Amino acid sequence: GGGDPVKPVNSVKYPKWFEMPAVRDDDGNGQDDTDKNVYYAFHTFKMNGKVYRNYTVCFDAAKHCPLWVAAPRHSCYVGSSGRTDSYDTDPNIPAAGQYASKKTGGNCNKGHMLGSAERTCCTEANKQVFYFTNIAPQLSAGFNTGGGGWNLLEEHIDKMVPTDTLYEVVGTFYGDFTDGYGKKAGIHNIQFGGLASVAFPTMFYYCVLRTKETIPGRSVAQCDAAQLQCVAFCRSHVDGLKGQKPTKKEMMSVADLEKITGFTYFPNVPNAPKNEFNPSDWGL
């Protein structure tokens, strides 16, 4: 029996933002309750006297990589600040688990989860996307660079941002996974970011949610399932998808992605249709 345990006075207040996956931190200390190597942090910035949310990160200090980054996509985040390239440690997460430098390795370059071009409304917002916790190693030849498999998926997602808001989770996976194209990456560690043993993600994914059409004055939490659409796009972390534009082969339901990663997506959107998707809703 007994009631809820007393929460510490300095408890982290996790926002109920619509893009947020479920956070496993009941005691509010910034660490995952089941894996003490996993940390959470959320970043905000000021612009024109207002405070905006930038992104939330779930970071694995043992893997030295983000597990997911959750962020809203909206035109208010895009402007003319340009790219700061101000790579640095995330001040909200212990530095010991983060990269030690900007160095690359393992045939990879620095892959932003939330891209620099998606946060150009002001310098502060752009600087935050260069925190090491927002960066994972991505193969440079055929995955992250122009025409690479991930680059082409990023460009497709860019076209799916509606006039209101797209809620996205960009994530990594480190287990056995074969994507819809039959591609599979081997599980191994690489030298990266000035560290000798960084986990190599075997798959990257987008998990996205939006309204089917803009409904003025109504949030996604107030929409019914017929007014919402959500889906996951998953690509194995290989060079072999260079030039491969997104197709329905890499799409899966959000519920199926949850079974693979163990995370719960869009818990703050009660009617999110996580068991179904329609490729044509996503331009495919």
Side-chain angles (χ1 to χ4, degrees), residues 62-126:
K63 292 181 170 63
H64 310 294
C65 285
L67 298 180
W68 52 254
V69 169
R73 299 282 303 277
H74 186 274
S75 59
C76 72
Y77 290 100
V78 180
S80 57
S81 74
R83 183 184 175 99
T84 59
D85 279 324
S86 53
Y87 294 97
D88 205 351
T89 51
D90 186 329
N92 292 13
I93 288 178
Q98 299 181 50
Y99 305 136
S101 74
K102 296 189 297 183
K103 289 180 180 177
T104 56
N107 298 318
C108 293
N109 55 14
K110 298 184 287 293
H112 287 68
M113 308 295 278
L114 178 63
S116 172
E118 293 150 26
R119 290 295 187 265
T120 54
C121 56
C122 67
T123 299
E124 185 184 2
N126 191 263

Side-chain angles (χ1 to χ4, degrees), residues 149-169:
W150 183 253
N151 173 252
L152 292 174
L153 178 54
E154 285 178 317
E155 290 178 353
H156 187 77
I157 297 295
D158 288 346
K159 292 185 285 188
M160 295 294 106
V161 178
T163 54
D164 48 10
T165 307
L166 175 79
Y167 300 97
E168 74 176 20
V169 183

Side-chain angles (χ1 to χ4, degrees), residues 11-277:
S11 172
V12 174
K13 303 293 186 189
Y14 291 99
K16 295 292 184 182
W17 294 328
F18 299 134
E19 69 273 10
M20 287 276 286
V23 171
R24 302 177 294 218
D25 181 19
D26 287 342
D27 62 5
N29 68 350
Q31 276 182 299
D32 191 280
D33 291 335
T34 56
D35 187 342
K36 297 304 180 187
N37 290 311
V38 173
Y39 294 86
Y40 302 97
F42 50 89
H43 297 290
T44 61
F45 62 92
K46 277 188 178 178
M47 183 173 65
N48 301 325
K50 289 183 178 180
V51 176
Y52 292 79
R53 74 183 185 273
N54 199 348
Y55 65 90
T56 308
V57 59
C58 174
F59 182 79
D60 191 320
K63 292 181 170 63
H64 310 294
C65 285
L67 298 180
W68 52 254
V69 169
R73 299 282 303 277
H74 186 274
S75 59
C76 72
Y77 290 100
V78 180
S80 57
S81 74
R83 183 184 175 99
T84 59
D85 279 324
S86 53
Y87 294 97
D88 205 351
T89 51
D90 186 329
N92 292 13
I93 288 178
Q98 299 181 50
Y99 305 136
S101 74
K102 296 189 297 183
K103 289 180 180 177
T104 56
N107 298 318
C108 293
N109 55 14
K110 298 184 287 293
H112 287 68
M113 308 295 278
L114 178 63
S116 172
E118 293 150 26
R119 290 295 187 265
T120 54
C121 56
C122 67
T123 299
E124 185 184 2
N126 191 263
K127 279 185 174 180
Q128 290 176 354
V129 300
F130 284 90
Y131 289 157
F132 289 142
T133 54
N134 182 48
I135 292 166
Q138 289 189 332
L139 289 167
S140 53
F143 194 76
N144 187 27
T145 47
W150 183 253
N151 173 252
L152 292 174
L153 178 54
E154 285 178 317
E155 290 178 353
H156 187 77
I157 297 295
D158 288 346
K159 292 185 285 188
M160 295 294 106
V161 178
T163 54
D164 48 10
T165 307
L166 175 79
Y167 300 97
E168 74 176 20
V169 183
V170 191
T172 57
F173 184 66
Y174 298 88
D176 282 318
F177 178 80
T178 302
D179 68 14
Y181 301 102
K183 305 291 186 182
K184 181 176 181 177
I187 299 169
H188 64 289
N189 291 347
I190 61 171
Q191 186 170 325
F192 189 84
L195 301 178
S197 187
V198 172
F200 180 88
T202 54
M203 180 264 278
F204 284 84
Y205 65 84
Y206 272 99
C207 186
V208 288
L209 177 141
R210 53 170 287 184
T211 55
K212 289 191 174 181
E213 55 187 45
T214 300
I215 307 171
R218 182 177 294 187
S219 77
V220 291
Q222 299 167 316
C223 292
D224 60 39
Q227 296 168 317
L228 297 170
Q229 58 191 55
C230 59
V231 74
F233 295 83
C234 304
R235 283 197 159 188
S236 289
H237 187 196
V238 296
D239 279 331
L241 293 177
K242 186 175 178 65
Q244 174 64 64
K245 291 186 176 180
T247 73
K248 59 186 179 183
K249 284 185 177 182
E250 66 213 74
M251 301 174 79
M252 69 173 67
S253 71
V254 174
D256 282 343
L257 179 65
E258 289 179 335
K259 292 172 188 171
I260 293 168
T261 67
F263 292 112
T264 299
Y265 304 101
F266 310 126
N268 301 321
V269 186
N271 292 325
K274 296 199 287 186
N275 289 302
E276 59 191 49
F277 67 92

